[in-house]
């Protein structure tokens, strides 16, 4: 069993140490030196390394996909640390699958073969993107990285970073600027556009990617935008694997269990799923050989995941935190929250879904509860609560709008929104400050603090809620939940909302 023997180390994770590491963990059996990068990926974080890079690693183990290695790209200042780790570790990292019984399965993943940090050398990134060997550009840039309004669906052309990238002679600094400049170079050289594969949690992520990249291109050159629109491919995808943020404790655990010094290990759950629209004009890895579902229509799977898993995560986040919990499994193991989640999923979210081929939704929903309750993951509620203004409009509010249209119950969904508003006040039920992580933190916080005097203040942020603040049924359900949160606390409010 892995972990029974420990290296005398710690041994620094790098290509030269693979032979030693093989004594305690699984390592690549394939020769990484001859792998060519056919995929450029923006946003190399924990999820990408637990998911897309893991699937390609599996394929390489089968002796296939050697022209589909991954070149990671960092764009943001926060990506500097990943740059340093990737350089120091020859782009290797450990991926540990943690089971509910406490056992670990750990592997060194070798499918990322190159890493470029755009602020260091944007021309190197452009050259890689424009190279004819690059046939897929994949993205995990978070919901907020697509720069569009969830309320209107429009690309934000006034974003200062976008404006700067569109200035004459500007050196591209954003994902949009880099990708579109590379597409312009490919067009000039007579090369077809690479496929842009979004792997972020957005409904219709392929269409959203098409919309935002062509919108940026149109601001730069309408003819280029037309070329991208007519020749580009933007497949939809549904991705699923709960992957908490790595911490210093994660690295210490890997060092203790195996004697491996990995500066940025990844820990994830056993469950993994990837449903991918099979639309790749320039080819793709044989993902279907390693468990990826390639289908003609991703939408049913996508809605299932966003409205059941992702929206339920939001339900656990704010209300669980306000109830005094700090870890996801602690809240999920509370029978009150279990009833609340199942009531939301059964009576509010499920009626908005399309039939999902090959999936028993009742089994899927029970499995979600089990996944949330896995104590081995150690995921934090604070992570689920981050970037709420990007997540709630894309995952939960579509359920509210559909239920309002159909005249259905929205008690649980309205309670989640009220929980977010109460959380956004920045103080928990014990009077302790809450560290709010959100791009609209200041604006939404100011509105939340007004709601004791003006209960509907939070709903006036139209960039988030659009016209939902004008819907009497939603406002009534929201106000009832908010009043209960202030008067009775989160746990009692959740219990009342989940009662039959």
């Amino acid at each position: 069993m892995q972990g029974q023997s420990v290296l005398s180390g710690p041994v620094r994770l790098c290509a030269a140490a693979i032979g030693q590491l093989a004594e305690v963990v699984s390592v690549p059996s394939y020769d990484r030196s001859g792998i060519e990068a056919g995929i450029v990926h923006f946003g190399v974080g924990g999820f990408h390394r637990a998911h897309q890079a893991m699937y390609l690693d599996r394929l390489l183990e089968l002796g296939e996909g050697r022209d589909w290695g991954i070149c990671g790209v960092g764009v943001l200042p926060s990506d500097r640390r990943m740059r340093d780790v990737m350089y120091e570790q020859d782009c290797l990292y450990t991926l540990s699958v943690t089971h509910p019984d406490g056992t670990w399965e750990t592997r060194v993943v070798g499918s990322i073969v190159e890493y470029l940090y755009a602020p260091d050398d944007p021309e190197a990134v452009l050259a890689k993107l424009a190279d004819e060997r690059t046939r897929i550009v994949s993205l995990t840039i978070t919901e907020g990285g697509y720069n569009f309004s969830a309320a209107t669906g429009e690309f934000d052309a006034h974003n200062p970073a976008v404006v700067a990238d569109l200035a004459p002679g500007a050196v591209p600094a954003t994902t949009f600027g880099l990708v579109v400049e590379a597409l312009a170079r490919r067009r000039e050289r007579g090369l077809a556009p690479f496929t842009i594969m979004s792997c972020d949690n957005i409904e219709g992520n392929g269409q959203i990617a098409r919309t935002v990249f062509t919108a940026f291109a149109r601001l730069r050159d309408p003819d280029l935008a037309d070329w991208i629109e007519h020749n580009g491919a933007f497949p939809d995808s549904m991705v699923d694997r709960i992957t908490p943020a790595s911490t210093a404790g994660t690295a210490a655990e890997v060092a203790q269990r195996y004697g491996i010094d990995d500066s940025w290990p990844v820990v994830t759950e056993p469950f993994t799923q990837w449903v991918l629209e099979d639309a790749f004009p320039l080819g793709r890895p044989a993902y279907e050989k390693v468990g990826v579902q390639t289908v003609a229509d991703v939408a049913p799977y996508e809605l299932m995941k966003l409205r059941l898993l992702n929206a339920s995560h939001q339900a656990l986040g704010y209300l669980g935190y306000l109830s005094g919990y700090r870890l996801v499994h602690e809240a999920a193991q509370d029978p009150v929250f279990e009833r609340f989640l199942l009531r939301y999923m059964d009576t509010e979210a499920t009626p908005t879904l399309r039939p999902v081929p090959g999936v028993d939704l009742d089994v899927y929903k029970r499995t979600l509860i089990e996944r949330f309750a896995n104590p081995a993951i150690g995921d934090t509620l604070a992570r689920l609560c981050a970037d709420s203004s990007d997540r709630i409009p894309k995952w939960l509010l579509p359920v509210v709008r559909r239920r309002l249209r159909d005249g259905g119950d929205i008690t649980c969904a309205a309670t989640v929104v009220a929980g977010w508003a109460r959380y956004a006040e920045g103080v928990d039920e014990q009077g302790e400050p809450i560290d709010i992580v959100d791009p609209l933190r200041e604006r939404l916080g100011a509105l939340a603090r007004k709601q004791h005097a003006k209960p509907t203040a939070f709903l006036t942020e139209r960039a988030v809620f659009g016209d939902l603040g004008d819907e009497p049924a939603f406002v009534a359900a929201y106000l009832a939940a908010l009043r209960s949160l202030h008067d009775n606390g989160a746990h009692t409010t959740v219990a009342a909302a989940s009662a039959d």
Side-chain angles (χ1 to χ4, degrees):
M1 176 187 286
Q2 287 183 6
Q4 287 186 329
S5 59
V6 181
L7 296 171
S8 59
V11 174
R12 182 64 179 163
L13 176 56
C14 63
I18 286 292
Q20 286 179 276
L21 303 182
E23 299 174 16
V24 290
V25 297
S26 171
V27 301
S29 65
Y30 51 86
D31 179 8
R32 296 177 72 234
S33 63
I35 297 173
E36 191 173 88
I39 300 171
V40 173
H41 181 82
F42 284 83
V44 178
F47 179 76
H48 170 68
R49 293 184 293 150
H51 195 269
Q52 299 96 39
M54 177 277 297
Y55 280 105
L56 186 60
D57 179 69
R58 285 182 179 178
L59 189 63
L60 289 165
E61 279 293 334
L62 297 180
E64 299 191 31
R66 295 187 61 81
D67 56 345
W68 290 109
I70 298 169
C71 171
V73 172
V75 173
L76 303 174
S78 57
D79 293 327
R80 286 193 183 95
R81 184 181 164 223
M82 183 61 73
R83 170 201 64 186
D84 295 342
V85 171
M86 289 284 103
Y87 290 174
E88 291 169 3
Q89 299 184 178
D90 300 318
C91 296
L92 296 168
Y93 62 93
T94 55
L95 175 63
S96 297
V97 176
T98 58
H99 295 267
D101 64 2
T103 60
W104 283 41
E105 294 177 73
T106 298
R107 174 172 173 80
V108 174
V109 176
S111 54
I112 301 175
V113 295
E114 187 176 359
Y115 188 89
L116 300 172
Y117 183 56
D120 285 346
D121 190 349
E123 185 56 40
V125 176
L126 290 169
K128 177 63 68 173
L129 291 165
D131 191 310
E132 64 179 340
R133 290 170 291 187
T134 297
R135 287 158 286 165
I136 296 174
V137 171
S138 55
L139 310 166
T140 49
I141 55 176
T142 78
E143 301 76 32
Y146 291 79
N147 192 50
F148 76 101
S149 166
T152 66
E154 295 180 359
F155 182 75
D156 181 8
H158 303 292
N159 182 317
V162 168
V163 172
D165 261 11
L166 289 169
V171 176
T174 67
T175 302
F176 299 107
L178 291 163
V179 167
V180 171
E181 169 61 23
L183 287 170
R185 294 184 183 188
R186 291 174 75 103
R187 181 185 179 216
E188 291 170 0
R189 297 171 188 172
L191 297 175
F194 40 66
T195 297
I196 296 179
M197 180 175 70
S198 170
C199 297
D200 284 293
N201 291 313
I202 305 172
E203 183 176 338
N205 54 13
Q207 183 55 48
I208 292 297
R210 177 185 292 275
T211 297
V212 296
F213 281 102
T214 54
F216 181 93
R218 200 164 298 284
L219 292 168
R220 168 183 161 153
D221 178 353
D223 289 340
L224 175 61
D226 289 341
W227 180 77
I228 296 171
E229 181 70 41
H230 295 147
N231 297 284
F234 299 81
D236 276 333
S237 70
M238 183 272 263
V239 295
D240 188 3
R241 194 170 211 185
I242 296 171
T243 307
S246 297
T247 65
T250 312
E253 181 78 6
V254 170
Q256 180 181 355
R257 283 178 176 269
Y258 307 110
I260 298 174
D261 180 8
D262 180 355
S263 294
W264 208 330
V266 183
V267 171
T268 192
E269 65 170 335
F271 182 93
T272 183
Q273 186 177 21
W274 189 1
V275 184
L276 183 61
E277 181 185 3
D278 201 358
F280 292 82
L282 299 184
R284 61 165 175 79
Y287 288 128
E288 68 279 1
K289 294 185 178 181
V290 288
V292 179
Q293 297 167 260
T294 53
V295 301
D297 184 10
V298 174
Y301 302 91
E302 191 173 55
L303 288 179
M304 173 188 73
K305 194 255 182 173
L306 296 178
R307 297 183 181 184
L308 296 179
L309 186 153
N310 294 107
S312 292
H313 259 168
Q314 299 303 288
L316 275 177
Y318 321 109
L319 296 166
Y321 194 99
L322 292 169
S323 295
Y325 296 116
R326 293 297 177 264
L327 296 175
V328 174
H329 71 268
E330 295 172 340
Q333 290 174 1
D334 184 332
V336 168
F337 274 92
E338 180 179 352
R339 287 194 298 271
F340 180 74
L341 293 179
L342 287 173
R343 182 173 178 83
Y344 160 73
M345 289 192 283
D346 288 341
T347 67
E348 299 181 26
T350 300
T352 74
L353 303 180
R354 294 164 49 182
V356 188
V359 176
D360 183 324
L361 286 179
D362 289 334
V363 172
Y364 181 82
K365 287 180 280 192
R366 292 302 313 185
T367 300
L368 286 182
I369 300 295
E370 294 170 5
R371 293 168 62 193
F372 296 161
N374 181 355
I377 296 300
D379 203 2
T380 66
L381 292 172
R383 182 185 78 87
L384 305 189
C385 295
D387 300 326
S388 308
S389 63
D390 285 327
R391 295 176 171 184
I392 287 283
K394 296 179 177 72
W395 300 343
L396 185 70
L397 297 188
V399 173
V400 173
R401 290 191 170 89
R402 176 64 184 271
R403 296 294 285 158
L404 288 173
R405 192 187 80 185
D406 296 343
D409 183 29
I410 56 168
T411 299
C412 293
T415 300
V416 177
V417 177
W420 174 30
R422 169 66 187 84
Y423 180 91
E425 293 176 16
V427 180
D428 69 14
E429 293 179 358
Q430 288 70 47
E432 296 297 322
I434 300 173
D435 182 18
I436 308 293
V437 178
D438 192 281
L440 300 183
R441 169 182 173 172
E442 299 301 327
R443 203 155 78 205
L444 289 172
L447 292 172
R449 289 186 288 274
K450 291 179 181 178
Q451 59 197 4
H452 291 271
K454 183 184 177 183
T456 58
F458 199 71
L459 301 183
T460 63
E461 181 51 73
R462 289 190 174 264
V464 172
F465 295 103
D467 60 359
L468 270 181
D470 302 325
E471 293 284 349
F474 173 65
V475 173
Y478 169 85
L479 290 178
L482 186 64
R483 188 179 310 113
S484 179
L485 286 166
H486 285 140
D487 294 345
N488 307 313
H491 200 264
T492 299
T493 300
V494 170
S498 59
D500 291 332

